[in-house]
PDB file of all heavy atoms in Angstrom:
ATOM      1  N   LEU D  23      -9.794  -6.557-114.787  1.00  0.00           N
ATOM      2  CA  LEU D  23     -10.060  -6.429-116.191  1.00  0.00           C
ATOM      3  C   LEU D  23     -11.434  -5.893-116.496  1.00  0.00           C
ATOM      4  O   LEU D  23     -12.363  -6.549-116.956  1.00  0.00           O
ATOM      5  CB  LEU D  23      -9.925  -7.880-116.798  1.00  0.00           C
ATOM      6  CG  LEU D  23      -8.591  -8.574-116.837  1.00  0.00           C
ATOM      7  CD1 LEU D  23      -8.744 -10.015-117.174  1.00  0.00           C
ATOM      8  CD2 LEU D  23      -7.603  -7.856-117.769  1.00  0.00           C
ATOM      9  N   ILE D  82      -4.090 -19.545-121.737  1.00  0.00           N
ATOM     10  CA  ILE D  82      -3.042 -19.385-120.570  1.00  0.00           C
ATOM     11  C   ILE D  82      -3.430 -20.446-119.543  1.00  0.00           C
ATOM     12  O   ILE D  82      -4.529 -20.472-119.025  1.00  0.00           O
ATOM     13  CB  ILE D  82      -3.125 -18.033-119.893  1.00  0.00           C
ATOM     14  CG1 ILE D  82      -2.800 -16.891-121.009  1.00  0.00           C
ATOM     15  CG2 ILE D  82      -2.203 -17.955-118.763  1.00  0.00           C
ATOM     16  CD1 ILE D  82      -3.009 -15.536-120.549  1.00  0.00           C
ATOM     17  N   PRO D 110      -3.065 -10.573-109.170  1.00  0.00           N
ATOM     18  CA  PRO D 110      -4.012 -10.573-110.213  1.00  0.00           C
ATOM     19  C   PRO D 110      -3.551  -9.642-111.359  1.00  0.00           C
ATOM     20  O   PRO D 110      -3.934  -9.975-112.476  1.00  0.00           O
ATOM     21  CB  PRO D 110      -5.230 -10.191-109.593  1.00  0.00           C
ATOM     22  CG  PRO D 110      -5.106 -10.513-108.095  1.00  0.00           C
ATOM     23  CD  PRO D 110      -3.585 -10.326-107.791  1.00  0.00           C
ATOM     24  N   GLN D 111      -2.855  -8.593-111.014  1.00  0.00           N
ATOM     25  CA  GLN D 111      -2.482  -7.603-112.128  1.00  0.00           C
ATOM     26  C   GLN D 111      -1.518  -8.299-113.113  1.00  0.00           C
ATOM     27  O   GLN D 111      -1.497  -7.986-114.262  1.00  0.00           O
ATOM     28  CB  GLN D 111      -1.856  -6.417-111.471  1.00  0.00           C
ATOM     29  CG  GLN D 111      -2.793  -5.522-110.646  1.00  0.00           C
ATOM     30  CD  GLN D 111      -3.904  -5.004-111.487  1.00  0.00           C
ATOM     31  OE1 GLN D 111      -3.804  -4.762-112.601  1.00  0.00           O
ATOM     32  NE2 GLN D 111      -5.089  -4.809-110.898  1.00  0.00           N
ATOM     33  N   GLU D 112      -0.622  -9.212-112.549  1.00  0.00           N
ATOM     34  CA  GLU D 112       0.317  -9.981-113.426  1.00  0.00           C
ATOM     35  C   GLU D 112      -0.480 -10.809-114.403  1.00  0.00           C
ATOM     36  O   GLU D 112      -0.192 -10.862-115.577  1.00  0.00           O
ATOM     37  CB  GLU D 112       1.289 -10.771-112.580  1.00  0.00           C
ATOM     38  CG  GLU D 112       2.236 -11.504-113.285  1.00  0.00           C
ATOM     39  CD  GLU D 112       3.117 -12.417-112.542  1.00  0.00           C
ATOM     40  OE1 GLU D 112       3.175 -12.262-111.279  1.00  0.00           O
ATOM     41  OE2 GLU D 112       3.850 -13.356-112.999  1.00  0.00           O
ATOM     42  N   LEU D 113      -1.535 -11.474-113.872  1.00  0.00           N
ATOM     43  CA  LEU D 113      -2.248 -12.391-114.749  1.00  0.00           C
ATOM     44  C   LEU D 113      -3.028 -11.517-115.685  1.00  0.00           C
ATOM     45  O   LEU D 113      -3.109 -11.864-116.910  1.00  0.00           O
ATOM     46  CB  LEU D 113      -3.161 -13.307-113.979  1.00  0.00           C
ATOM     47  CG  LEU D 113      -4.168 -14.183-114.759  1.00  0.00           C
ATOM     48  CD1 LEU D 113      -3.412 -15.058-115.737  1.00  0.00           C
ATOM     49  CD2 LEU D 113      -5.018 -14.988-113.794  1.00  0.00           C
ATOM     50  N   ALA D 114      -3.482 -10.355-115.280  1.00  0.00           N
ATOM     51  CA  ALA D 114      -4.265  -9.421-116.169  1.00  0.00           C
ATOM     52  C   ALA D 114      -3.377  -8.966-117.274  1.00  0.00           C
ATOM     53  O   ALA D 114      -3.840  -8.924-118.479  1.00  0.00           O
ATOM     54  CB  ALA D 114      -4.821  -8.329-115.381  1.00  0.00           C
ATOM     55  N   LEU D 115      -2.107  -8.758-117.014  1.00  0.00           N
ATOM     56  CA  LEU D 115      -1.106  -8.283-118.042  1.00  0.00           C
ATOM     57  C   LEU D 115      -0.976  -9.423-119.092  1.00  0.00           C
ATOM     58  O   LEU D 115      -0.846  -9.199-120.242  1.00  0.00           O
ATOM     59  CB  LEU D 115       0.208  -7.875-117.346  1.00  0.00           C
ATOM     60  CG  LEU D 115       1.292  -7.531-118.366  1.00  0.00           C
ATOM     61  CD1 LEU D 115       0.871  -6.304-119.188  1.00  0.00           C
ATOM     62  CD2 LEU D 115       2.639  -7.170-117.584  1.00  0.00           C
ATOM     63  N   LEU D 116      -0.775 -10.655-118.522  1.00  0.00           N
ATOM     64  CA  LEU D 116      -0.696 -11.824-119.393  1.00  0.00           C
ATOM     65  C   LEU D 116      -1.877 -11.998-120.384  1.00  0.00           C
ATOM     66  O   LEU D 116      -1.632 -12.295-121.559  1.00  0.00           O
ATOM     67  CB  LEU D 116      -0.515 -13.149-118.622  1.00  0.00           C
ATOM     68  CG  LEU D 116       0.868 -13.402-117.940  1.00  0.00           C
ATOM     69  CD1 LEU D 116       0.742 -14.664-117.206  1.00  0.00           C
ATOM     70  CD2 LEU D 116       2.045 -13.595-119.100  1.00  0.00           C
ATOM     71  N   ILE D 117      -3.024 -11.736-119.782  1.00  0.00           N
ATOM     72  CA  ILE D 117      -4.227 -11.840-120.598  1.00  0.00           C
ATOM     73  C   ILE D 117      -4.202 -10.657-121.713  1.00  0.00           C
ATOM     74  O   ILE D 117      -4.661 -10.946-122.853  1.00  0.00           O
ATOM     75  CB  ILE D 117      -5.484 -11.768-119.692  1.00  0.00           C
ATOM     76  CG1 ILE D 117      -5.508 -13.126-118.863  1.00  0.00           C
ATOM     77  CG2 ILE D 117      -6.754 -11.540-120.573  1.00  0.00           C
ATOM     78  CD1 ILE D 117      -6.485 -12.953-117.682  1.00  0.00           C
ATOM     79  N   GLU D 118      -3.898  -9.521-121.352  1.00  0.00           N
ATOM     80  CA  GLU D 118      -3.791  -8.405-122.299  1.00  0.00           C
ATOM     81  C   GLU D 118      -2.827  -8.710-123.360  1.00  0.00           C
ATOM     82  O   GLU D 118      -3.092  -8.401-124.571  1.00  0.00           O
ATOM     83  CB  GLU D 118      -3.431  -6.996-121.526  1.00  0.00           C
ATOM     84  CG  GLU D 118      -4.506  -6.584-120.612  1.00  0.00           C
ATOM     85  CD  GLU D 118      -5.754  -5.922-121.317  1.00  0.00           C
ATOM     86  OE1 GLU D 118      -5.728  -5.836-122.576  1.00  0.00           O
ATOM     87  OE2 GLU D 118      -6.736  -5.639-120.608  1.00  0.00           O
ATOM     88  N   ARG D 119      -1.623  -9.189-123.018  1.00  0.00           N
ATOM     89  CA  ARG D 119      -0.656  -9.513-124.014  1.00  0.00           C
ATOM     90  C   ARG D 119      -1.138 -10.652-124.893  1.00  0.00           C
ATOM     91  O   ARG D 119      -0.850 -10.624-126.133  1.00  0.00           O
ATOM     92  CB  ARG D 119       0.724  -9.825-123.384  1.00  0.00           C
ATOM     93  CG  ARG D 119       1.295  -8.675-122.667  1.00  0.00           C
ATOM     94  CD  ARG D 119       2.654  -9.013-121.997  1.00  0.00           C
ATOM     95  NE  ARG D 119       3.523  -9.615-122.909  1.00  0.00           N
ATOM     96  CZ  ARG D 119       4.517  -9.021-123.558  1.00  0.00           C
ATOM     97  NH1 ARG D 119       4.542  -7.613-123.383  1.00  0.00           N
ATOM     98  NH2 ARG D 119       5.344  -9.632-124.287  1.00  0.00           N
ATOM     99  N   ALA D 120      -1.793 -11.669-124.439  1.00  0.00           N
ATOM    100  CA  ALA D 120      -2.255 -12.733-125.226  1.00  0.00           C
ATOM    101  C   ALA D 120      -3.395 -12.178-126.210  1.00  0.00           C
ATOM    102  O   ALA D 120      -3.366 -12.559-127.382  1.00  0.00           O
ATOM    103  CB  ALA D 120      -2.966 -13.920-124.345  1.00  0.00           C
ATOM    104  N   HIS D 121      -4.245 -11.284-125.743  1.00  0.00           N
ATOM    105  CA  HIS D 121      -5.097 -10.676-126.580  1.00  0.00           C
ATOM    106  C   HIS D 121      -4.526  -9.852-127.756  1.00  0.00           C
ATOM    107  O   HIS D 121      -4.886  -9.859-128.866  1.00  0.00           O
ATOM    108  CB  HIS D 121      -6.133  -9.700-125.840  1.00  0.00           C
ATOM    109  CG  HIS D 121      -7.178  -9.176-126.681  1.00  0.00           C
ATOM    110  ND1 HIS D 121      -7.097  -7.997-127.255  1.00  0.00           N
ATOM    111  CD2 HIS D 121      -8.390  -9.768-127.111  1.00  0.00           C
ATOM    112  CE1 HIS D 121      -8.190  -7.722-127.945  1.00  0.00           C
ATOM    113  NE2 HIS D 121      -8.927  -8.840-127.851  1.00  0.00           N
TER     114      HIS D 121
END
Side-chain angles (χ1 to χ4, degrees):
L23 297 168
I82 299 168
Q111 294 297 331
E112 181 183 347
L113 179 54
L115 179 61
L116 283 176
I117 291 166
E118 291 287 354
R119 291 179 56 92
H121 184 264

